[in-house]
Amino acid sequence: MIRILILACLLCWSTLAGAADDVPRDRPAQEILAQEILVMLRLPAPHYRPDAYYSAGYRDDAGTAARRRIAAAIARDHGLTILEDWAMPALNVDCYRMAMPAGAASTAEVLEALAHDTRVAWTQSINEFTVQGTSDPLYPVQPAARQWQLTDIHRAATGRKVMVAVIDSGVDTTHPDLDGQIAFRENFVDGRPYASEDHGTGVAGVIAARAGNGIGIEGVAPQARIMALRACWQESATSTRCNSFTLAKAMNFALLNGAQVINLSLSGAPERLLRELIDVACARGVRVVSAVDPARADGGFPASHPGVFAVAMEGRGGGILSAPGRDIPTAAPGGRWVFVTGSSYSAAHISGMLAVLGELRPAMGLSQLRASLVMQEGASGVDLCATVSRLTGTCTCGCHGSDKLRQAQLR
Amino acid sequence: MLNRTPAPARSLVLLLTVATVATVTTVSTPARAQVSGSVALVSDYLYRGVSLSDGDPVAQLNLAYDSPDNWYLGAFASPIKSFAARRLYTAYAGYAWRLRSGVALDAGMTDYIYAGDALYNYHEAYVGVSLERTSARLSYSPNYTAMHVRTVYAEISHGVALTDALTGALNGTLNGFIHLGYFHPLERSPALQPRFDVRVGVTGSAGPCQWMLALDGARVAGAAPPPYDMTRRSRSGVVASVTLPF
């Protein structure tokens, strides 16, 4: 009987040797974006099946082969090629990245035709997102240390065990100031192996650089757990890019693995896929933080999306928070430190702040959390000392005898 | 009553088979509905720790239909060597959905039909919950194998992804899993005993096929079984299978 099985195995392998189910992934993510689209098939909830093998994750279940068959038929009917497949149970869809035929003019016609194809749940083009950071060295001191009195704050809370997802370019996980701070390291950029890159490393450093290790800087939440989710790639010293698919894969992973804060220091055009993932995150009480694009009146997407903590370098009103973002010393790849500027790093400060508050009030709902932030008088910056004092009910910063009156007023 | 015909059940399976073949080959399914299935070769048809094929390998067929509205139905067929029946058909239907938190719930009913020996036909109702890698199910039958005994079966499964180092070599994925089950008759019966079953193994993919290799064991809970206990056919040992899903 075992012989029959061995025979069957050999049969399978010999007739299908080398015939990988997925199309070879030899086209880097950043090229030919204009000729690629995302096609979503419905992903049924897992249920009883006598043939259900014990899969270890959402990417492969008993219905995967059927969906691949349906996707292949859709691709054939519309002249497309399947490049990649990623199931997203958070949205009840299985997402297929497909390429247009070579030389095709635009995706609009195909998207229109697919909108009428009843096998498809919905479709979307792949859009580009850019990070909001520039580099500009000046002051050799951390603004947050002065503005937020981090030494005092860290006596009350350090963001201990709060999971913060940094959806960005590659974080240097071997950096001495990030040693032991990384809970997950994943690469969602197809065609490019994981690399340590400037923007992601800088953002992670602002949030959770180790405190008291005698080197470098002190993160806003030095005991937070970082999920280094590489969904963006660095093309040059001044250009780091991401796209809808890589960001969605990273968001899906963050949601499935317990992220409590998600940092998106990037901006692009509004779109359904990210909007829906952010809505799911907010519904679960996950704090989503995004950097404002100063060139756009509404701050850009996802910063302008309801529920997101939008952050800029200076006050802009309209519920947008401001935090230090100019001349911020932070970690850089290769065990170095640099000074950076940009709303990306303002967002990172707020993510660190939310991790600190998350240690104090992990179950607080989003709107209640926002209401509990104490703002600096007449400004859009957060008075973190006053906020933490309000949440803990005790004096946090500069506590001397004369401050007992202030303490009573804060209750 | 002894010749209670399984014809309706056979028709159901036949209908599903025809529908599936037609769907897969030519006809387009209703909007967003999905038809799927698989053929499998197993070295021993071990069901809840009991060998239904008397330790021999059998080929099995499974068909499933997922509607766009969260309900599903399916059918399963396998040769067996228990009782006087030569084939076991299973027809099932249920409703499964994901909550916003990511937890998935499932509830349904299964009909077990023994071709050629309809005396043992019975129904079972179940509820289940799934997280990303873990799932649990509770099944209840008012008349297990038509022996006028109410039974419950509780099970839990957990999977883990194994090292990526082997993934490239096999051109597929490699996962480990464990499955624990507990079968409990709610009334005393000379023929049915409470028992535990365990399966620990690995699964992987090779091309379009899925394979499984596992250790499967069962142990009767409590005193030794009486002579007429059907679970005496429980075996501990290795089980392997190859499945081609479509």
Side-chain angles (χ1 to χ4, degrees):
Chain A
M1 46 185 123
I2 298 295
R3 281 175 293 179
I4 297 174
L5 268 169
I6 295 172
L7 261 171
C9 287
L10 289 174
L11 191 71
C12 269
W13 265 305
S14 62
T15 54
L16 305 147
D21 232 301
D22 297 328
V23 175
R25 305 172 187 189
D26 55 4
R27 298 159 84 179
Q30 73 278 18
E31 292 178 13
I32 4 172
L33 262 187
Q35 298 174 7
E36 293 177 10
I37 56 172
L38 300 176
V39 178
M40 317 301 185
L41 297 186
R42 194 176 160 270
L43 181 70
H47 60 72
Y48 169 73
R49 295 180 66 120
D51 66 346
Y53 30 86
Y54 309 96
S55 68
Y58 54 90
R59 292 208 64 198
D60 187 27
D61 66 9
T64 301
R67 285 192 300 278
R68 242 177 234 141
R69 173 174 41 82
I70 296 169
I74 293 170
R76 259 197 317 275
D77 292 345
H78 296 272
L80 303 165
T81 312
I82 299 177
L83 297 176
E84 195 184 347
D85 156 42
W86 201 278
M88 302 196 184
L91 294 180
N92 291 303
V93 295
D94 196 349
C95 182
Y96 285 81
R97 182 163 71 98
M98 299 196 189
M100 306 272 292
S106 82
T107 57
E109 273 182 35
V110 170
L111 287 173
E112 174 62 27
L114 284 167
H116 299 292
D117 191 324
T118 55
R119 296 166 292 186
V120 174
W122 51 279
T123 59
Q124 185 187 289
S125 54
I126 298 185
N127 303 311
E128 228 179 61
F129 288 76
T130 51
V131 298
Q132 299 301 306
T134 62
S135 110
D136 191 19
L138 268 183
Y139 302 111
V141 71
Q142 286 179 249
R146 290 193 319 269
Q147 204 170 309
W148 280 350
Q149 301 181 54
L150 284 184
T151 311
D152 290 330
I153 293 292
H154 288 161
R155 273 193 224 108
T158 52
R160 197 169 130 71
K161 291 192 183 171
V162 175
M163 196 78 82
V164 180
V166 173
I167 298 183
D168 211 299
S169 61
V171 174
D172 182 358
T173 55
T174 64
H175 196 288
D177 229 354
L178 293 171
D179 187 26
Q181 308 296 77
I182 312 293
F184 290 89
R185 191 194 91 158
E186 299 288 335
N187 181 29
F188 299 101
V189 180
D190 198 32
R192 282 198 171 211
Y194 192 93
S196 299
E197 293 160 323
D198 296 337
H199 196 267
T201 306
V203 165
V206 169
I207 297 172
R210 288 178 59 180
N213 58 345
I215 52 170
I217 57 166
E218 178 171 329
V220 176
Q223 289 198 301
R225 308 292 297 138
I226 293 285
M227 303 170 84
L229 305 180
R230 181 171 181 257
C232 306
W233 59 94
Q234 181 170 336
E235 296 197 319
S236 68
T238 52
S239 168
T240 298
R241 293 158 59 188
C242 338
N243 71 46
S244 317
F245 197 48
T246 58
L247 292 172
K249 287 191 282 185
M251 286 277 307
N252 196 58
F253 183 95
L255 290 172
L256 285 173
N257 288 279
Q260 291 156 272
V261 180
I262 298 179
N263 188 90
L264 295 164
S265 286
L266 44 94
S267 188
E271 57 158 56
R272 178 172 173 177
L273 180 56
L274 281 183
R275 211 172 52 227
E276 290 206 0
L277 283 165
I278 291 171
D279 285 342
V280 168
C282 292
R284 296 188 193 180
V286 175
R287 291 86 162 94
V288 181
V289 181
S290 186
V292 152
D293 179 355
R296 292 172 187 259
D298 67 350
F301 175 83
S304 57
H305 189 66
V308 172
F309 289 84
V311 191
M313 285 196 288
E314 279 100 22
R316 283 165 65 106
I320 295 176
L321 301 172
S322 65
R326 210 172 284 285
D327 314 316
I328 310 296
T330 188
R336 302 175 299 120
W337 289 265
V338 291
F339 294 94
V340 293
T341 294
S343 59
S344 289
Y345 308 101
S346 305
H349 276 87
I350 295 295
S351 289
M353 178 198 83
L354 290 171
V356 167
L357 299 178
E359 180 190 340
L360 296 170
R361 290 281 184 277
M364 187 180 266
L366 281 178
S367 43
Q368 200 187 348
L369 174 65
R370 209 182 271 271
S372 71
L373 296 177
V374 179
M375 310 303 286
Q376 286 158 4
E377 258 186 64
S380 52
V382 178
D383 184 344
L384 190 53
C385 284
T387 305
V388 171
S389 297
R390 175 194 271 180
L391 290 179
T392 58
T394 59
C395 173
T396 304
C397 305
C399 302
H400 306 296
S402 57
D403 279 325
K404 281 200 179 131
L405 182 61
R406 182 163 176 263
Q407 179 186 339
Q409 286 170 342
L410 280 167
R411 282 190 199 274
Chain B
M1 187 150 73
L2 271 172
N3 291 325
R4 187 171 79 215
T5 174
R10 245 188 269 150
S11 306
L12 171 68
V13 174
L14 190 63
L15 185 69
L16 274 171
T17 312
V18 170
T20 306
V21 172
T23 299
V24 169
T25 54
T26 54
V27 180
S28 59
T29 50
R32 304 181 197 174
Q34 290 169 9
V35 176
S36 58
S38 65
V39 290
L41 196 57
V42 298
S43 66
D44 185 357
Y45 181 17
L46 282 161
Y47 182 69
R48 297 180 180 176
V50 177
S51 174
L52 297 183
S53 62
D54 210 14
D56 293 336
V58 289
Q60 301 178 327
L61 171 70
N62 187 77
L63 303 166
Y65 175 87
D66 282 280
S67 84
D69 304 309
N70 291 343
W71 58 268
Y72 62 90
L73 52 90
F76 168 82
S78 173
I80 56 171
K81 294 176 185 174
S82 305
F83 321 123
R86 275 192 241 125
R87 258 182 298 285
L88 170 64
Y89 295 110
T90 300
Y92 58 93
Y95 191 86
W97 72 108
R98 281 192 193 88
L99 304 178
R100 278 290 231 183
S101 62
V103 174
L105 300 176
D106 175 26
M109 276 201 57
T110 319
D111 201 357
Y112 293 85
I113 300 143
Y114 293 88
D117 199 355
L119 182 66
Y120 295 104
N121 292 1
Y122 67 100
H123 304 277
E124 208 169 49
Y126 58 85
V127 290
V129 59
S130 297
L131 306 175
E132 197 203 331
R133 293 200 165 96
T134 309
S135 65
R137 189 178 303 119
L138 188 65
S139 308
Y140 165 78
S141 175
N143 192 7
Y144 190 74
T145 58
M147 295 184 112
H148 306 292
V149 179
R150 293 174 304 140
T151 61
V152 290
Y153 180 71
E155 59 187 310
I156 185 163
S157 301
H158 179 73
V160 301
L162 296 179
T163 171
D164 284 328
L166 290 169
T167 304
L170 294 171
N171 194 29
T173 54
L174 189 69
N175 302 313
F177 71 90
I178 181 167
H179 174 262
L180 299 169
Y182 176 62
F183 173 79
H184 185 83
L186 294 174
E187 279 112 20
R188 297 185 85 171
S189 160
L192 296 175
Q193 296 285 314
R195 67 175 180 269
F196 294 95
D197 66 272
V198 181
R199 183 178 289 199
V200 178
V202 290
T203 67
S205 62
C209 291
Q210 296 276 341
W211 56 267
M212 181 207 65
L213 189 63
L215 291 171
D216 192 295
R219 181 177 292 272
V220 172
Y228 298 110
D229 181 9
M230 288 185 288
T231 67
R232 212 160 41 144
R233 292 179 200 231
S234 304
R235 302 160 55 111
S236 301
V238 178
V239 60
S241 72
V242 175
T243 305
L244 179 65
F246 54 81

